[in-house]
Amino acid sequence: MGLYAEKHKIFQLMQNLMEALLVHQPSDPINFMILHLKKDNDEVPRILTVGPPASGKTTISHWLCKHLGAVYLCPEDLLYNKLLKASKEAMAHKARKDEVPDALWVSLLEERLNIEDCVSMGWVLDGFPKTRKQALLLQSIGISPRHVVVLYAPDTVLVERNLGKMVDPLTQEVYHTTFDWPIDFAVQKRLVVPEGISEQATTQKLLESQRNIPGLLQAYQENHKRINADQPCADVFAQALNFAQTRPRTNAPFVPRIVLLGLPGSGKSLQAALLAQKYDLINICFGDLLKEKVEAYTVVGELIRPFFESGYPVNDSIVMRVLKERFSEHDCRTFGWVIHGFPRDVDQADLLSHTNHIPNRVFFLNLPAEVAMQRICQRTTDPVTGERYHSIFKPPTEENVHQRLRRNPKDSPEHMEMKIDFYNRQVEELEDYYEDAIHVNADQDPYTVFEYIESCLVNPLPVKNLYHV
């Protein structure tokens, strides 16, 4: 039952329905829920990009739209969109050089968001709301973004950026005299300086933004991310995209079933131990599990023994019998598990997927082969104390200990090369099979690796595969 609910995202579906009901409070909730389900748009982007002038809101918004397949929206486009009923009234205010009332802006946006492209593809709204009052007006009519990207930078940087801004009146593309000058001479000739970017006007806008941003952050406390815009645009975009692809945490029950894959020496055993220690997961080393069966002289252990003695891999049917039995025990079903050393190939992965023990997190710990060789081939053990050493990372401090160190024959360069070769022949098919797997750079501090794995465990997986690319 739990597996079915997890596979079909039942808890998340019910949570989304409940949120929509509470926001819109329809008079006919049953019909409302039916229509909501038919829209099938719970996963489309709903993003606000806010920040001071020249922080890069427009560029980041356009890039997000292009990558996520969403609709780009901004106040200027809403104002001049003659298909919107409220645009005529808004343009009349502009013609009189009056401020467009907040309620009218919100009415324009509500009308635009109900058009099919925004409903089905999602949207990125650039530069609105600007104040807490506008944000609360949006919330009062049920317009609730899933992600709010808040850009910031030092005032000196923003002033320099704004004073060099140029606009192509034909395409509305924004350029800069220093940072982004067009290479097309025809474009250069028609560039114009936009209104309201003098140093005095820019300073006034920055002061206004500084007054309003704290109120905006308060309105979107749970779903905003502040990003430093004083760095290369590609880096700002990468952070914004990563945030836009995250899901909010849910209260759905979650029992971790984790598979760690990687070369020998990539840290699978250590990461499994850290996960087991912190989250009370059952740590299953596949090789040790088989050895336990043999050493206990169980019926299945006697079936495994000939394979151990001959050095051949254990038959997959026997392997699955052992794993099903272990996964079905009360501790695994209650606390969850993390396994390493299995599956070795795509056939075993497929066998596992046809059980009631399908993994819900798969991690590939990526490591260069030469680093794996260095980690494994230079480790030794003290036969007296059982302490493990490494000639580079943890050499013994006493000469007598150094003299008695022994290396496991399985850690020899020849044996490691065979293991690496076998893994490399299987890994491409495994990566294709586990297309939603998470790839981790294992060539770094193990606790940094653990922090990343942990973040992917406690947070829902990104929805990158659900967006249009």
Side-chain angles (χ1 to χ4, degrees):
M1 187 182 296
L3 189 63
Y4 175 86
E6 185 180 316
K7 179 180 179 181
H8 295 282
K9 303 180 178 67
I10 300 299
F11 294 102
Q12 188 176 347
L13 179 66
M14 297 305 296
Q15 182 174 314
N16 291 336
L17 278 174
M18 186 62 69
E19 287 177 358
L21 283 170
L22 293 176
V23 168
H24 296 281
Q25 299 180 11
S27 56
D28 184 355
I30 301 300
N31 191 52
F32 173 86
M33 287 191 288
I34 292 171
L35 293 174
H36 182 86
L37 290 171
K38 285 182 177 179
K39 287 180 182 178
D40 190 26
N41 67 344
D42 283 331
E43 298 292 356
V44 300
R46 297 198 301 270
I47 304 169
L48 299 182
T49 311
V50 299
S55 57
K57 300 185 296 296
T58 300
T59 299
I60 297 302
S61 297
H62 276 298
W63 287 9
L64 285 171
C65 287
K66 184 177 180 180
H67 193 90
L68 302 176
V71 177
Y72 173 79
L73 301 175
C74 68
E76 290 74 19
D77 290 348
L78 296 174
L79 185 66
Y80 297 108
N81 189 335
K82 295 181 180 179
L83 296 176
L84 304 179
K85 295 177 183 177
S87 67
K88 188 175 182 180
E89 183 183 351
M91 289 175 68
H93 281 279
K94 278 289 186 182
R96 297 192 299 268
K97 296 186 177 181
D98 294 337
E99 285 288 329
V100 178
D102 289 343
L104 188 53
W105 278 123
V106 171
S107 177
L108 280 167
L109 184 59
E110 181 181 24
E111 189 178 350
R112 180 66 183 88
L113 293 182
N114 284 323
I115 296 176
E116 177 58 29
D117 57 349
C118 287
V119 172
S120 60
M121 298 167 63
W123 45 267
V124 179
L125 178 57
D126 168 17
F128 191 88
K130 294 181 178 179
T131 66
R132 175 175 166 80
K133 180 184 176 183
Q134 291 172 343
L136 295 178
L137 275 173
L138 291 178
Q139 292 175 4
S140 69
I141 61 169
I143 298 177
S144 178
R146 185 175 284 113
H147 300 93
V148 180
V149 176
V150 183
L151 303 178
Y152 69 93
D155 286 353
T156 52
V157 173
L158 297 172
V159 170
E160 182 185 4
R161 285 184 183 179
N162 213 41
L163 294 181
K165 190 181 292 185
M166 304 285 281
V167 176
D168 181 348
L170 188 63
T171 65
Q172 298 302 312
E173 286 287 330
V174 178
Y175 295 93
H176 195 278
T177 54
T178 304
F179 307 118
D180 186 21
W181 189 246
I183 57 175
D184 189 328
F185 290 111
V187 174
Q188 292 178 15
K189 288 180 181 179
R190 63 174 184 254
L191 291 183
V192 296
V193 177
E195 295 181 6
I197 64 164
S198 66
E199 188 167 354
Q200 183 178 359
T202 299
T203 303
Q204 183 62 35
K205 288 180 180 179
L206 287 176
L207 287 171
E208 186 179 343
S209 175
Q210 289 169 357
R211 286 197 301 268
N212 289 324
I213 286 293
L216 275 178
L217 298 185
Q218 192 175 13
Y220 299 114
Q221 293 182 60
E222 304 298 326
N223 60 342
H224 80 267
K225 180 179 177 64
R226 299 182 77 243
I227 299 175
N228 181 7
D230 186 19
Q231 52 183 321
C233 198
D235 294 341
V236 178
F237 171 67
Q239 294 175 55
L241 178 63
N242 183 59
F243 172 59
Q245 290 176 331
T246 60
R247 283 175 171 164
R249 292 195 186 184
T250 84
N251 295 321
F254 177 69
V255 178
R257 300 184 299 278
I258 304 169
V259 170
L260 299 179
L261 297 168
L263 285 171
S266 58
K268 300 186 295 295
S269 300
L270 175 58
Q271 298 304 325
L274 292 172
L275 287 167
Q277 181 182 34
K278 184 162 185 178
Y279 294 101
D280 294 325
L281 305 182
I282 306 305
N283 183 358
I284 301 174
C285 172
F286 176 63
D288 290 348
L289 181 62
L290 296 180
K291 288 175 187 176
E292 290 170 8
K293 296 296 181 182
V294 173
E295 291 169 0
Y297 291 94
T298 61
V299 174
V300 72
E302 292 307 306
L303 296 175
I304 297 170
R305 191 182 303 277
F307 292 96
F308 274 21
E309 292 173 351
S310 65
Y312 286 103
V314 180
N315 185 279
D316 284 350
S317 62
I318 300 174
V319 165
M320 293 311 300
R321 178 177 168 182
V322 173
L323 282 177
K324 285 179 184 178
E325 182 181 312
R326 185 66 188 92
F327 288 152
S328 298
E329 291 182 22
H330 180 73
D331 55 354
C332 282
R333 289 188 289 108
T334 303
F335 301 109
W337 45 263
V338 52
I339 188 170
H340 47 106
F342 181 92
R344 287 164 50 90
D345 54 41
V346 74
D347 291 335
Q348 290 185 341
D350 193 54
L351 287 171
L352 182 60
S353 71
H354 287 85
T355 68
N356 289 325
H357 313 288
I358 302 170
N360 47 28
R361 294 289 188 278
V362 177
F363 295 93
F364 282 92
L365 305 186
N366 297 328
L367 189 72
E370 57 272 18
V371 178
M373 291 284 287
Q374 183 187 69
R375 288 184 180 183
I376 297 294
C377 297
Q378 299 189 48
R379 66 185 184 187
T380 51
T381 304
D382 182 349
V384 175
T385 64
E387 185 75 17
R388 298 181 77 170
Y389 294 91
H390 193 281
S391 60
I392 296 176
F393 306 120
K394 189 186 174 185
T397 54
E398 300 176 15
E399 180 60 29
N400 62 326
V401 174
H402 177 76
Q403 294 296 328
R404 66 176 184 248
L405 292 181
R406 295 292 181 268
R407 184 175 68 185
N408 189 322
K410 292 184 177 180
D411 293 345
S412 68
E414 298 78 13
H415 202 269
M416 267 297 295
E417 285 175 359
M418 290 173 59
K419 287 184 175 180
I420 290 173
D421 181 61
F422 178 83
Y423 178 80
N424 287 337
R425 280 188 276 112
Q426 308 299 327
V427 67
E428 188 173 339
E429 287 187 346
L430 283 168
E431 288 176 343
D432 289 341
Y433 190 85
Y434 290 121
E435 59 182 4
D436 292 328
I438 300 157
H439 293 260
V440 186
N441 175 18
D443 189 15
Q444 54 184 328
D445 181 81
Y447 291 96
T448 302
V449 175
F450 175 69
E451 286 177 6
Y452 183 75
I453 291 175
E454 184 181 27
S455 71
C456 296
L457 179 65
V458 299
N459 293 310
L461 292 175
V463 291
K464 55 186 177 183
N465 294 329
L466 301 175
Y467 290 147
H468 304 282
V469 179

